[in-house]
Amino acid sequence: MTVVDESIIQQCMQELESISDQHGLDQVKAKYLGGKSVIREAFKRIAELDPADRAIQSASINTIKREITEIIFAKKALIAEAETLAELAKDSVDTTLQADFCRQGALHPLTKTLDDLKRLLSKMGFDIASGPEVEQFYYNFTALNTPRYHPAVTAQDTLYINDDQLLRSHTSCVQIRMLEKHNPPLRIFSPGRVFRADTPDATHSPCFMQCEGLVVDEASTMRDLVETLKCLLEGFFKQSLELRFRPSYFPFTEPSLECDIWFKNRWLEVLGCGMVHPNVLTSVDIDPQRYRGFAFGLGIDRLTMLRYQIDDIRSLYDGDQSFLQQDDELC
Ligand code: PHE
């Protein structure tokens, strides 16, 4: 005697064929596997069987139960997939809809200039260097051949923290800091913020940015200085330029020069430079008989203003969003 006939598997499969949703599936599941199902009934009837038959019969019910479970499970997966596809078809993305406009940040014009200078100077073999903005009088002046009562100290007036500490008035201090640490040959550049006791107006700011350049070796000449600056400025303005050098004075270079460029039909001063003064080398125990070099200090703000036609230096510092957002026009 068999308590359940295998044909119920076929029967279940046939019923499932017409089912297309979860609700229908639940009903079939209840009918074949639930509390009042044929399978459950069959298990109950095992007890009435001859003990010798019980094991075989219960194994056979279990096999049928497992198969029906698998069939129902497979159907469940099919229904879920069909439901997902139907949902997707309903909610398909309309790619013609306007996306929300997401405003992207823009690089500050000074950052762009800085990046360009870094790129150009690195290509010419200069290593980047840095020094503190709160600097000792010694590095800002004394070691740069500028004793305390030299008129150049007043000319570069800045904010003093005390007699020995000040906000650096130029990036030339980094020359000394690097020469103290590294033996020549040396080729460095150092961009950064500098400070002067100036009242802000269209062309002056108490805080602005400079980029120092320094080469010390056994062979550099004025020609190398001129060619380096020509290469740097032409690379920066992306055009060939006429350069003009005028005699000038800085305590730490001899001779000293101002460099102008012919730009938009006028001469514009862009930087100060010169051959490193022997006293500067002596102050860092480098033999001026053997070593020589050149230095330059350019105004990052000035280059930025020229390139982007900005006529008021304060625009670079007052954080006005409408100015800073005009990235596209500036590029
Ligand atoms: N430090 C000078 C200035 O601030 C610029 C300069 C740098 C000149 C290096 C000569 C050599 O004006």
Side-chain angles (χ1 to χ4, degrees):
M1 171 205 164
T2 42
V3 281
V4 62
D5 190 335
E6 276 195 17
S7 65
I8 74 159
I9 299 177
Q10 284 302 322
Q11 197 187 320
C12 175
M13 275 163 84
Q14 264 166 21
E15 269 182 57
L16 284 176
E17 260 169 37
S18 59
I19 301 294
S20 60
D21 61 7
Q22 186 63 43
H23 178 67
L25 186 73
D26 289 343
Q27 284 180 331
V28 175
K29 191 175 165 189
K31 178 172 170 191
Y32 287 91
L33 302 172
K36 290 181 184 142
S37 65
V38 189
I39 301 271
R40 224 16 115 73
E41 285 306 315
F43 274 125
K44 283 183 196 156
R45 281 168 52 205
I46 291 277
E48 300 159 15
L49 296 179
D50 181 18
D53 263 355
R54 286 182 196 164
I56 302 172
Q57 287 300 329
S58 62
S60 135
I61 306 171
N62 269 326
T63 310
I64 294 171
K65 183 185 169 191
R66 200 177 322 119
E67 282 196 33
I68 291 183
T69 309
E70 273 169 22
I71 294 164
I72 291 179
F73 198 74
K75 181 72 184 185
K76 187 181 165 78
L78 282 178
I79 290 176
E81 193 183 307
E83 277 176 358
T84 310
L85 287 175
E87 281 296 314
L88 282 177
K90 237 197 307 174
D91 289 350
S92 64
V93 176
D94 182 352
T95 52
T96 62
L97 279 178
Q98 171 111 37
D100 278 352
F101 179 67
C102 174
R103 189 176 288 286
Q104 282 204 316
L107 287 180
H108 193 284
L110 286 174
T111 308
K112 289 202 256 190
T113 301
L114 197 57
D115 287 349
D116 274 354
L117 293 175
K118 282 184 192 163
R119 182 175 51 80
L120 292 161
L121 285 161
S122 307
K123 252 204 283 187
M124 286 193 264
F126 284 74
D127 288 324
I128 192 159
S130 66
E133 288 173 6
V134 176
E135 188 51 287
Q136 293 167 30
F137 188 95
Y138 174 79
Y139 288 104
N140 200 87
F141 292 119
T142 322
L144 285 163
N145 196 32
T146 320
R148 193 170 283 270
Y149 298 105
H150 194 289
V153 174
T154 333
Q156 287 210 353
D157 195 16
T158 176
L159 290 168
Y160 284 76
I161 285 143
N162 55 41
D163 266 3
D164 288 324
Q165 284 191 305
L166 44 79
L167 296 185
R168 66 178 180 185
S169 61
H170 53 185
T171 43
S172 299
C173 339
V174 184
Q175 289 189 27
I176 303 299
R177 288 190 171 272
M178 288 299 121
L179 289 171
E180 267 182 355
K181 271 196 251 154
H182 304 282
N183 292 326
L186 177 114
R187 193 182 289 201
I188 55 113
F189 72 104
S190 184
R193 269 193 290 205
V194 300
F195 307 85
R196 302 268 170 103
D198 268 335
T199 307
D201 62 23
T203 52
H204 295 88
S205 165
C207 165
F208 56 102
M209 291 192 72
Q210 281 190 338
C211 181
E212 193 80 8
L214 172 71
V215 172
V216 175
D217 56 23
E218 292 183 45
S220 280
T221 62
M222 285 260 281
R223 169 146 290 274
D224 298 307
L225 167 63
V226 169
E227 287 307 315
T228 303
L229 291 176
K230 193 166 163 63
C231 187
L232 177 62
L233 292 167
E234 291 190 339
F236 180 77
F237 286 102
K238 299 190 178 83
Q239 64 186 79
S240 62
L241 288 173
E242 204 181 327
L243 266 55
R244 180 176 76 177
F245 289 88
R246 284 176 292 116
S248 183
Y249 175 78
F250 300 103
F252 37 92
T253 46
E254 180 60 37
S256 300
L257 310 156
E258 297 288 348
C259 170
D260 305 333
I261 55 169
W262 182 250
F263 191 72
K264 297 204 173 6
N265 293 322
R266 57 201 165 126
W267 285 109
L268 294 167
E269 185 184 318
V270 286
L271 58 86
C273 59
M275 300 305 289
V276 177
H277 196 291
N279 289 354
V280 171
L281 296 177
T282 309
S283 77
V284 285
D285 289 332
I286 291 175
D287 180 5
Q289 300 292 337
R290 180 169 169 202
Y291 291 104
R292 48 202 283 119
F294 61 84
F296 56 88
L298 54 82
I300 293 182
D301 307 72
R302 182 131 178 89
L303 289 188
T304 308
M305 290 168 74
L306 289 176
R307 178 197 257 179
Y308 299 123
Q309 291 151 54
I310 297 166
D311 48 20
D312 192 326
I313 191 172
R314 290 168 293 191
S315 324
L316 295 172
Y317 293 97
D318 61 14
D320 178 349
Q321 287 295 314
S322 59
F323 169 79
L324 293 171
Q325 273 163 12
Q326 48 180 350
D327 189 45
D328 289 340
E329 290 106 283
L330 289 180
C331 291

